Amino acid sequence: SNPTTYITTCPECHTELIRNEGEAQHYCPNTKGCPPQIIGRIQHYISRKAMDIEGLGGETVALLVKNGLIKNYADLYQLVVEELIPLERLAQKSAENLVKGINLSKEIPFERVLFALGIRYVGETVAKKLAKHFKSIDALMLASEEELVLVDEIGERIARSVVHFFTEEENRVTIQRLKDHGVQLKISDEQLADQTDILLGKSFVVSGVFTKVSRIELKKLIEDNGGKVSSSISGKTSFVVAGDNMGPSKRTKAEGLGIPIISEDDFLQMIS
DNA sequence: ACGTAAGTTCGTAACGTCCT
DNA sequence: AGGACGTTACGAACTTACGT
């Protein structure tokens, strides 16, 4: 039987939206002409967990788009100070900072660039998984749905979305432009050199604050060495790495399950 | 030179959905 | 069913540009 469909129009660009019964959300398919989408994609690209471009925030992105200076994130790399100065809220100083920030983003590692691209269902962690598995955007672009599903943690929905993203000509062009500007679209040699399999199959929970490495670095060390970081303790947790002010409920739970609680030093010892 | 307003950063928490 | 993930929202501290 045919599912009921609901038809509405996008309040922003008045494109027709079709949603099938049972689908939780519908997205405006007008990816090229819907202004909030154009701005939103760039805002995501520059955001903290993605390319983290300092000097550029959501409002400034909207300003740049509205003034016709950029239409997608690859355009950012062609901005020059002079054309920014006439804009509201931007003067010499901010314009320089902005261009500087954009240039610095060329050093952002591949996994975050992959997240920044804005492929649906590819968030921060899925991007990491894909980056680790495929090592480069070229390899990822060649992967079929079948190959993608074989990757741990990647299901049908994500696989379909990834393949779809790369079939769009516009996306391939944008990616080529990023590549030409020197954005990291493959895992760097240094990154590869830092990776080991020491912690393969081990699952970690991190709790508290640490002195020698930051919480973020600690998680990165776990992942780079083949381990998995989870947010909550379960029977599958191998170790809890505890810093200062470890959450008391976590401590109780770990003790209850008999999971070893190790210190920052213990952990660093493990991987050295 | 100073205060204000706007924007950004950083931490956190909650919620609904997806994966296994 | 349980855990993980993506998304959104919020607030507080900090930075910067701009008007007086």
Side-chain angles (χ1 to χ4, degrees):
Chain A
S1 60
N2 288 334
T4 314
T5 59
Y6 303 91
I7 300 178
T8 50
T9 52
C10 172
E12 298 292 339
C13 68
H14 304 104
T15 297
E16 204 170 72
L17 308 177
I18 300 169
R19 175 168 63 94
N20 291 320
E21 189 169 15
E23 289 175 9
Q25 276 177 300
H26 52 240
Y27 287 78
C28 175
N30 180 16
T31 51
K32 285 181 186 167
C34 191
Q37 284 200 64
I38 294 169
I39 292 170
R41 268 196 300 278
I42 303 173
Q43 286 174 335
H44 170 72
Y45 184 86
I46 60 116
S47 68
R48 207 182 343 155
K49 291 183 167 179
M51 301 304 272
D52 191 25
I53 297 180
E54 269 180 70
L56 185 56
E59 290 306 310
T60 311
V61 167
L63 188 69
L64 295 175
V65 172
K66 283 172 185 156
N67 282 275
L69 292 182
I70 55 174
K71 289 198 292 293
N72 67 37
Y73 40 67
D75 294 334
L76 288 170
Y77 297 91
Q78 280 162 325
L79 289 174
V80 291
V81 172
E82 293 77 61
E83 62 181 341
L84 296 170
I85 292 179
L87 300 179
E88 277 178 79
R89 264 184 280 114
L90 290 174
Q92 187 73 33
K93 182 75 173 175
S94 340
E96 281 172 13
N97 286 343
L98 203 156
V99 171
K100 207 179 293 173
I102 291 169
N103 276 321
L104 284 174
S105 78
K106 294 176 185 175
E107 304 304 317
I108 295 292
F110 174 52
E111 62 187 40
R112 280 173 60 186
V113 179
L114 191 52
F115 170 54
L117 294 181
I119 304 171
R120 258 180 87 192
Y121 309 122
V122 179
E124 206 185 343
T125 47
V126 172
K128 269 185 203 169
K129 301 255 188 317
L130 291 174
K132 189 161 189 172
H133 188 272
F134 289 97
K135 318 271 193 231
S136 73
I137 198 93
D138 293 334
L140 182 61
M141 284 171 84
L142 289 174
S144 65
E145 276 185 42
E146 294 74 31
E147 289 169 302
L148 281 159
V149 172
L150 293 180
V151 180
D152 195 24
E153 317 260 321
I154 305 299
E156 248 177 68
R157 185 186 61 131
I158 297 173
R160 213 176 308 132
S161 172
V162 169
V163 169
H164 176 257
F165 183 87
F166 292 118
T167 57
E168 300 270 308
E169 178 65 14
E170 194 187 356
N171 291 331
R172 287 209 300 273
V173 171
T174 302
I175 286 164
Q176 184 57 50
R177 288 179 61 205
L178 291 179
K179 227 188 253 183
D180 293 341
H181 284 294
V183 175
Q184 300 295 312
L185 288 171
K186 61 173 175 23
I187 295 192
S188 68
D189 294 340
E190 299 95 74
Q191 254 178 300
L192 275 178
D194 287 341
Q195 295 185 358
T196 78
D197 288 339
I198 297 176
L199 306 177
L200 209 62
K202 300 274 191 292
S203 174
F204 291 79
V205 171
V206 171
S207 179
V209 290
F210 303 88
T211 49
K212 290 189 177 159
V213 294
S214 74
R215 191 187 176 78
I216 302 205
E217 284 164 341
L218 186 56
K219 290 184 176 183
K220 185 166 160 28
L221 282 172
I222 293 170
E223 286 163 358
D224 282 352
N225 288 286
K228 180 170 153 52
V229 180
S230 304
S231 52
S232 55
I233 298 169
S234 74
K236 292 182 187 167
T237 308
S238 317
F239 296 98
V240 176
V241 187
D244 294 334
N245 303 321
M246 173 185 183
S249 63
K250 279 190 179 159
R251 166 152 258 128
T252 313
K253 183 154 188 184
E255 283 167 353
L257 291 166
I259 293 158
I261 300 175
I262 64 175
S263 70
E264 181 181 4
D265 286 331
D266 294 335
F267 172 77
L268 294 172
Q269 189 76 42
M270 268 172 92
I271 60 169
S272 65

